[in-house]
Amino acid sequence: GQNIDQPTEMTATEGAIVQINCTYQTSGFNGLFWYQQHAGEAPTFLSYNVLDGLEEKGRFSSFLSRSKGYSYLLLKELQMKDSASYLCAVRDLRNSGYALNFGKGTSLLVTP
Amino acid sequence: EAGVVQSPRYKIIEKKQPVAFWCNPISGHNTLYWYLQNLGQGPELLIRYENEEAVDDSQLPKDRFSAERLKGVDSTLKIQPAELGDSAVYLCASSLTTGGEQYFGPGTRLTVT
């Protein structure tokens, strides 16, 4: 994921809101995905954006701006169980087909 | 509905030994992916299957890695011989269709000593 950038670590307080940013560069953009991965577990799907705008799903929302190559994942009412790595992934049909190109992930720590 | 199943969950081998990982995708999912995930990194694609055909294996180190999905259902990924640098988590994922949401298995954590 050398063309996908996201912060390495973030810390937030239980009950607060946190925004995890992701920037990317592609020539054949075909969707941006956010996955959650707890330590030692499989990544689980959170959200998918292919058009500009905000997608809301419960406590989690994801935003996309294709012209800026930018997305963010917004987590509201943080809970301790939200401590995990959050992976931004982009599908680039021109360069890698239907496989996902993942960023390195953002490790989120939720503190009491 | 059962998720993606992988075995073994953990494997420790000495360098130069062979090793194999097995994946059973979600029933009915035609597309199967093998990813490699190093510590602190995101998953990286090794190979993608559409049914029994490997349609994207450009990132698979073919000198030592091989994979098969003979009947278009479960799949095996093999490394022979293993090297120290192969220590990583090997993730299998499947999707109903090409481009569909990918569901990941728990992975096989390989340690090469």
Side-chain angles (χ1 to χ4, degrees), chain A residues 1-18:
Chain A
Q2 61 184 12
N3 294 325
I4 301 173
D5 291 314
Q6 50 183 132
T8 303
E9 297 178 338
M10 298 184 72
T11 301
T13 306
E14 189 176 17
I17 299 173
V18 70

PDB file of all heavy atoms in Angstrom, chain A residues 1-18:
ATOM      1  N   GLY A   1       0.788  -1.188   0.000  1.00  0.00           N
ATOM      2  CA  GLY A   1       0.000   0.000   0.000  1.00  0.00           C
ATOM      3  C   GLY A   1       0.826   1.246   0.000  1.00  0.00           C
ATOM      4  O   GLY A   1       0.564   2.168   0.769  1.00  0.00           O
ATOM      5  N   GLN A   2       1.820   1.381  -0.873  1.00  0.00           N
ATOM      6  CA  GLN A   2       2.690   2.531  -0.782  1.00  0.00           C
ATOM      7  C   GLN A   2       1.997   3.813  -1.182  1.00  0.00           C
ATOM      8  O   GLN A   2       2.477   4.901  -0.863  1.00  0.00           O
ATOM      9  CB  GLN A   2       3.916   2.320  -1.654  1.00  0.00           C
ATOM     10  CG  GLN A   2       3.613   2.136  -3.129  1.00  0.00           C
ATOM     11  CD  GLN A   2       4.877   1.840  -3.907  1.00  0.00           C
ATOM     12  OE1 GLN A   2       5.914   1.565  -3.335  1.00  0.00           O
ATOM     13  NE2 GLN A   2       4.797   1.868  -5.219  1.00  0.00           N
ATOM     14  N   ASN A   3       0.886   3.748  -1.891  1.00  0.00           N
ATOM     15  CA  ASN A   3       0.178   4.945  -2.294  1.00  0.00           C
ATOM     16  C   ASN A   3      -1.008   5.248  -1.400  1.00  0.00           C
ATOM     17  O   ASN A   3      -1.815   6.095  -1.734  1.00  0.00           O
ATOM     18  CB  ASN A   3      -0.296   4.798  -3.742  1.00  0.00           C
ATOM     19  CG  ASN A   3       0.870   4.727  -4.701  1.00  0.00           C
ATOM     20  OD1 ASN A   3       1.880   5.375  -4.491  1.00  0.00           O
ATOM     21  ND2 ASN A   3       0.742   3.928  -5.739  1.00  0.00           N
ATOM     22  N   ILE A   4      -1.125   4.570  -0.313  1.00  0.00           N
ATOM     23  CA  ILE A   4      -2.215   4.772   0.626  1.00  0.00           C
ATOM     24  C   ILE A   4      -1.611   5.157   1.970  1.00  0.00           C
ATOM     25  O   ILE A   4      -0.809   4.423   2.516  1.00  0.00           O
ATOM     26  CB  ILE A   4      -3.066   3.493   0.770  1.00  0.00           C
ATOM     27  CG1 ILE A   4      -3.636   3.099  -0.588  1.00  0.00           C
ATOM     28  CG2 ILE A   4      -4.176   3.710   1.780  1.00  0.00           C
ATOM     29  CD1 ILE A   4      -4.346   1.764  -0.596  1.00  0.00           C
ATOM     30  N   ASP A   5      -1.988   6.315   2.468  1.00  0.00           N
ATOM     31  CA  ASP A   5      -1.419   6.833   3.699  1.00  0.00           C
ATOM     32  C   ASP A   5      -2.484   7.033   4.756  1.00  0.00           C
ATOM     33  O   ASP A   5      -3.543   7.610   4.473  1.00  0.00           O
ATOM     34  CB  ASP A   5      -0.698   8.169   3.449  1.00  0.00           C
ATOM     35  CG  ASP A   5       0.564   7.985   2.631  1.00  0.00           C
ATOM     36  OD1 ASP A   5       1.336   7.060   2.948  1.00  0.00           O
ATOM     37  OD2 ASP A   5       0.763   8.752   1.679  1.00  0.00           O
ATOM     38  N   GLN A   6      -2.204   6.589   5.931  1.00  0.00           N
ATOM     39  CA  GLN A   6      -3.058   6.792   7.086  1.00  0.00           C
ATOM     40  C   GLN A   6      -2.170   6.876   8.314  1.00  0.00           C
ATOM     41  O   GLN A   6      -1.054   6.355   8.309  1.00  0.00           O
ATOM     42  CB  GLN A   6      -4.114   5.681   7.208  1.00  0.00           C
ATOM     43  CG  GLN A   6      -3.578   4.272   7.128  1.00  0.00           C
ATOM     44  CD  GLN A   6      -4.710   3.238   7.195  1.00  0.00           C
ATOM     45  OE1 GLN A   6      -4.778   2.314   6.411  1.00  0.00           O
ATOM     46  NE2 GLN A   6      -5.584   3.373   8.166  1.00  0.00           N
ATOM     47  N   PRO A   7      -2.631   7.567   9.359  1.00  0.00           N
ATOM     48  CA  PRO A   7      -1.778   7.703  10.548  1.00  0.00           C
ATOM     49  C   PRO A   7      -1.503   6.340  11.162  1.00  0.00           C
ATOM     50  O   PRO A   7      -2.323   5.434  11.098  1.00  0.00           O
ATOM     51  CB  PRO A   7      -2.625   8.582  11.491  1.00  0.00           C
ATOM     52  CG  PRO A   7      -4.012   8.505  10.970  1.00  0.00           C
ATOM     53  CD  PRO A   7      -3.911   8.270   9.503  1.00  0.00           C
ATOM     54  N   THR A   8      -0.347   6.220  11.783  1.00  0.00           N
ATOM     55  CA  THR A   8       0.057   4.940  12.364  1.00  0.00           C
ATOM     56  C   THR A   8      -0.718   4.632  13.635  1.00  0.00           C
ATOM     57  O   THR A   8      -1.177   3.506  13.831  1.00  0.00           O
ATOM     58  CB  THR A   8       1.550   4.957  12.668  1.00  0.00           C
ATOM     59  OG1 THR A   8       2.275   5.237  11.474  1.00  0.00           O
ATOM     60  CG2 THR A   8       2.003   3.614  13.228  1.00  0.00           C
ATOM     61  N   GLU A   9      -0.853   5.637  14.479  1.00  0.00           N
ATOM     62  CA  GLU A   9      -1.512   5.426  15.767  1.00  0.00           C
ATOM     63  C   GLU A   9      -2.389   6.614  16.128  1.00  0.00           C
ATOM     64  O   GLU A   9      -2.093   7.745  15.749  1.00  0.00           O
ATOM     65  CB  GLU A   9      -0.463   5.249  16.878  1.00  0.00           C
ATOM     66  CG  GLU A   9       0.427   4.039  16.730  1.00  0.00           C
ATOM     67  CD  GLU A   9       1.461   3.955  17.841  1.00  0.00           C
ATOM     68  OE1 GLU A   9       1.749   5.001  18.446  1.00  0.00           O
ATOM     69  OE2 GLU A   9       1.970   2.868  18.107  1.00  0.00           O
ATOM     70  N   MET A  10      -3.458   6.327  16.850  1.00  0.00           N
ATOM     71  CA  MET A  10      -4.310   7.375  17.402  1.00  0.00           C
ATOM     72  C   MET A  10      -4.815   6.903  18.764  1.00  0.00           C
ATOM     73  O   MET A  10      -4.991   5.695  18.978  1.00  0.00           O
ATOM     74  CB  MET A  10      -5.496   7.682  16.480  1.00  0.00           C
ATOM     75  CG  MET A  10      -5.103   8.205  15.101  1.00  0.00           C
ATOM     76  SD  MET A  10      -6.513   8.658  14.088  1.00  0.00           S
ATOM     77  CE  MET A  10      -7.055  10.160  14.910  1.00  0.00           C
ATOM     78  N   THR A  11      -5.071   7.866  19.621  1.00  0.00           N
ATOM     79  CA  THR A  11      -5.634   7.575  20.948  1.00  0.00           C
ATOM     80  C   THR A  11      -6.844   8.464  21.161  1.00  0.00           C
ATOM     81  O   THR A  11      -6.810   9.651  20.811  1.00  0.00           O
ATOM     82  CB  THR A  11      -4.602   7.821  22.053  1.00  0.00           C
ATOM     83  OG1 THR A  11      -3.456   6.998  21.820  1.00  0.00           O
ATOM     84  CG2 THR A  11      -5.181   7.475  23.413  1.00  0.00           C
ATOM     85  N   ALA A  12      -7.903   7.907  21.713  1.00  0.00           N
ATOM     86  CA  ALA A  12      -9.109   8.676  21.977  1.00  0.00           C
ATOM     87  C   ALA A  12      -9.758   8.152  23.252  1.00  0.00           C
ATOM     88  O   ALA A  12      -9.452   7.039  23.712  1.00  0.00           O
ATOM     89  CB  ALA A  12     -10.078   8.586  20.807  1.00  0.00           C
ATOM     90  N   THR A  13     -10.634   8.944  23.794  1.00  0.00           N
ATOM     91  CA  THR A  13     -11.275   8.626  25.065  1.00  0.00           C
ATOM     92  C   THR A  13     -12.632   7.970  24.838  1.00  0.00           C
ATOM     93  O   THR A  13     -13.364   8.340  23.909  1.00  0.00           O
ATOM     94  CB  THR A  13     -11.448   9.895  25.910  1.00  0.00           C
ATOM     95  OG1 THR A  13     -10.181  10.537  26.049  1.00  0.00           O
ATOM     96  CG2 THR A  13     -11.999   9.563  27.290  1.00  0.00           C
ATOM     97  N   GLU A  14     -12.964   7.046  25.672  1.00  0.00           N
ATOM     98  CA  GLU A  14     -14.269   6.387  25.629  1.00  0.00           C
ATOM     99  C   GLU A  14     -15.391   7.424  25.614  1.00  0.00           C
ATOM    100  O   GLU A  14     -15.350   8.404  26.369  1.00  0.00           O
ATOM    101  CB  GLU A  14     -14.407   5.493  26.864  1.00  0.00           C
ATOM    102  CG  GLU A  14     -15.615   4.580  26.854  1.00  0.00           C
ATOM    103  CD  GLU A  14     -15.617   3.652  28.066  1.00  0.00           C
ATOM    104  OE1 GLU A  14     -14.890   3.933  29.045  1.00  0.00           O
ATOM    105  OE2 GLU A  14     -16.358   2.661  28.037  1.00  0.00           O
ATOM    106  N   GLY A  15     -16.343   7.247  24.693  1.00  0.00           N
ATOM    107  CA  GLY A  15     -17.461   8.163  24.572  1.00  0.00           C
ATOM    108  C   GLY A  15     -17.225   9.302  23.601  1.00  0.00           C
ATOM    109  O   GLY A  15     -18.170  10.001  23.203  1.00  0.00           O
ATOM    110  N   ALA A  16     -15.993   9.496  23.197  1.00  0.00           N
ATOM    111  CA  ALA A  16     -15.646  10.598  22.301  1.00  0.00           C
ATOM    112  C   ALA A  16     -15.861  10.201  20.845  1.00  0.00           C
ATOM    113  O   ALA A  16     -16.356   9.112  20.532  1.00  0.00           O
ATOM    114  CB  ALA A  16     -14.199  11.003  22.537  1.00  0.00           C
ATOM    115  N   ILE A  17     -15.489  11.127  19.960  1.00  0.00           N
ATOM    116  CA  ILE A  17     -15.537  10.906  18.514  1.00  0.00           C
ATOM    117  C   ILE A  17     -14.109  10.941  17.981  1.00  0.00           C
ATOM    118  O   ILE A  17     -13.303  11.774  18.405  1.00  0.00           O
ATOM    119  CB  ILE A  17     -16.368  12.007  17.811  1.00  0.00           C
ATOM    120  CG1 ILE A  17     -17.809  12.006  18.322  1.00  0.00           C
ATOM    121  CG2 ILE A  17     -16.334  11.825  16.296  1.00  0.00           C
ATOM    122  CD1 ILE A  17     -18.642  13.178  17.789  1.00  0.00           C
ATOM    123  N   VAL A  18     -13.791  10.074  17.044  1.00  0.00           N
ATOM    124  CA  VAL A  18     -12.452  10.079  16.450  1.00  0.00           C
ATOM    125  C   VAL A  18     -12.598   9.969  14.936  1.00  0.00           C
ATOM    126  O   VAL A  18     -13.498   9.294  14.428  1.00  0.00           O
ATOM    127  CB  VAL A  18     -11.575   8.940  17.010  1.00  0.00           C
ATOM    128  CG1 VAL A  18     -12.049   7.575  16.519  1.00  0.00           C
ATOM    129  CG2 VAL A  18     -10.120   9.150  16.626  1.00  0.00           C
TER     130      VAL A  18
END
